[in-house]
Every structure is written in C-alpha cells, then in structure tokens.
Amino acid sequence: MLGPIIDSGCLLAGGLAGAYSAHLVPRRIKESLPPIFGVVTLCMGMTLVNKVASMPVVVASLLLGTLLGELVFAERLLSAAIKKILLATRRRDMPVDEGTVLSLVTLVSAFCFGSMGIFGAVTEAITGKPDILLAKAVLDLFSGLLFGAVFGGIVGCIALPQFAILTFCYLCGNFCAPFMAPPLLGDFTACGGVIFAATGLRMCGIRMFPVINMLPALLLAPLFSLLWQHIFGA
C-alpha cells in the first residue's frame, strides 16, 4: 500500500508548507497556476477514457450514477460539511463565502475522489504497481503548495480523508481483484476518466460540473460492464 501513503503524505506536506509560506508566493502565481492544474487533470482524464471496453456501459453508468447522486444531494451535503469545517479551522484573513466553499468542494473532489487516485489505488491492489499514485503524488505535492498558500492549512487536512478513501479503494481492489476482468476494469477506468475530465473543466472555471454527484457512476460501471458481457459477450 505504498501509493496511498506517499500520495497523501505529499498532499499533507505540500498543504502545510504552502500555508506557512503563503507570503512568499506572488499573487499572480496563485491566480495563474490553478487553471494549469485543471488542464493537467483534464488531460489525465482523457487518457483514462481511452481504456474503455464498452462505451454504452460508460454512458449508462454516468447518466444513472449522476441521477442517483442528484437525488441524494451528495454535493450539497458535502458543501455543508466543508463549510462547517471551514468555519472551525479558517484563518482570520480568509473569508467564508460561497466561492470559497465551491473551490474547496472542487479540491476535495480532485484530491479525494479523482479517478486517478481511485483507479491508482485499485490498480496497485490488483497489479502491485503504485506507478499511477506516485505520479499523482507529484501533482498533489505542487497542488498542495499552491492551494495551501491560498486557502491555508485546511488543504493539508484534506490528506486525511484522502488517505482513508485511497486505503478503502485499495482494500476493495484486493477483494475485487479475482473478479475484475479486463473489460470491467477498462469500463471502470473510462468512467472515472470522464469524471476526472469534468473535475479538470471545473478547476479551469469552464463549467461547474457536479463531480461529487457523478461518483456513484464508479460503482455502477463494473456491474453494468459485467451485465453487458453476459448479454452480448463483447
């Protein structure tokens, strides 16, 4: 379980270092780099989409998964929880407003629920190779530095739920490894790639996709893929 440890450790270190060195980071850098992280995230998502085995499975998973997320108000509940945490841990010079909450929801979705992290943890469990999470750790380190300078130490705190989620995904990967045939893994990866791409577009400020509400699609994709293989055999 090397990947989750290194990835969350880099985010924690980056977030705390960014918070303590905020005065050293010019404002122009704080404003210009976040869209670059969004572009990188978008490109990673596009790469993962190429792993698709059955596109109808991915489409059905995303549509029904997002519908389920919307019905249970997943993103709204997360926003409320983040706002409460922010009120308790905020810096005195950081105002609490809807823009800040939306930005932090985007960060939580990217750091904790991004398809690269989820897929990386599952892949490490199945193959024993942490390469994907190690690449994500580099991105999270620099992202943590930048966003820590903007939002404070709360960015480093995101490493705690991130590690819990990555560990859970790793354990699930161990359990599911015997059943994850290549087509199932491909559809799961592609579905996560679409969510990751949506997160990138959101980070760039192009469109506020409900990425948290889209996450149930990741649970549906392997099930629909298995059903597709059973019915059509391809």
Side-chain angles (χ1 to χ4, degrees), residues 141-194:
L141 175 62
F142 289 97
S143 299
L145 283 168
L146 176 62
F147 291 116
V150 176
F151 296 107
I154 192 172
V155 174
C157 295
I158 297 177
L160 299 179
Q162 182 198 61
F163 180 72
I165 291 170
L166 292 181
T167 299
F168 176 76
C169 292
Y170 180 87
L171 295 176
C172 289
N174 273 331
F175 176 78
C176 298
F179 312 103
M180 289 295 286
L184 274 68
L185 187 59
D187 290 335
F188 171 82
T189 303
C191 187
V194 174

Side-chain angles (χ1 to χ4, degrees), residues 29 39 50 118 155 216:
I29 295 180
V39 171
N50 290 330
I118 294 174
V155 174

Side-chain angles (χ1 to χ4, degrees), residues 120-136:
V122 173
T123 300
E124 182 180 354
I126 295 175
T127 66
K129 298 179 179 180
D131 298 358
I132 295 176
L133 283 182
L134 293 182
K136 184 175 183 295

Side-chain angles (χ1 to χ4, degrees), residues 9-26:
C10 285
L11 176 58
L12 176 62
L16 295 179
Y20 283 107
S21 61
H23 60 287
L24 300 177
V25 182

Side-chain angles (χ1 to χ4, degrees), residues 8-152:
S8 297
C10 285
L11 176 58
L12 176 62
L16 295 179
Y20 283 107
S21 61
H23 60 287
L24 300 177
V25 182
R27 182 176 180 178
R28 65 180 185 278
I29 295 180
K30 295 179 182 179
E31 295 176 349
S32 63
L33 283 187
I36 304 302
F37 291 126
V39 171
V40 173
T41 303
L42 175 61
C43 292
M44 291 177 177
M46 294 171 63
T47 300
L48 294 176
V49 171
N50 290 330
K51 306 292 184 180
V52 65
S54 303
M55 185 57 71
V57 169
V58 176
V59 173
S61 300
L62 287 167
L63 292 177
L64 294 179
T66 303
L67 176 61
L68 178 60
E70 292 285 352
L71 290 175
V72 300
F73 302 103
E75 186 154 326
R76 184 182 299 179
L77 293 175
L78 179 60
S79 297
I82 289 176
K83 191 168 186 177
K84 290 181 179 179
I85 295 173
L86 182 58
L87 286 169
T89 61
R90 66 188 174 102
R91 299 191 321 236
R92 292 183 178 180
D93 60 337
M94 186 176 69
V96 178
D97 53 32
E98 292 302 319
T100 300
V101 172
L102 284 174
S103 296
L104 288 173
V105 169
T106 301
L107 290 181
V108 170
S109 65
F111 286 130
C112 297
F113 302 106
S115 62
M116 189 177 187
I118 294 174
F119 175 64
V122 173
T123 300
E124 182 180 354
I126 295 175
T127 66
K129 298 179 179 180
D131 298 358
I132 295 176
L133 283 182
L134 293 182
K136 184 175 183 295
V138 176
L139 182 61
D140 283 358
L141 175 62
F142 289 97
S143 299
L145 283 168
L146 176 62
F147 291 116
V150 176
F151 296 107

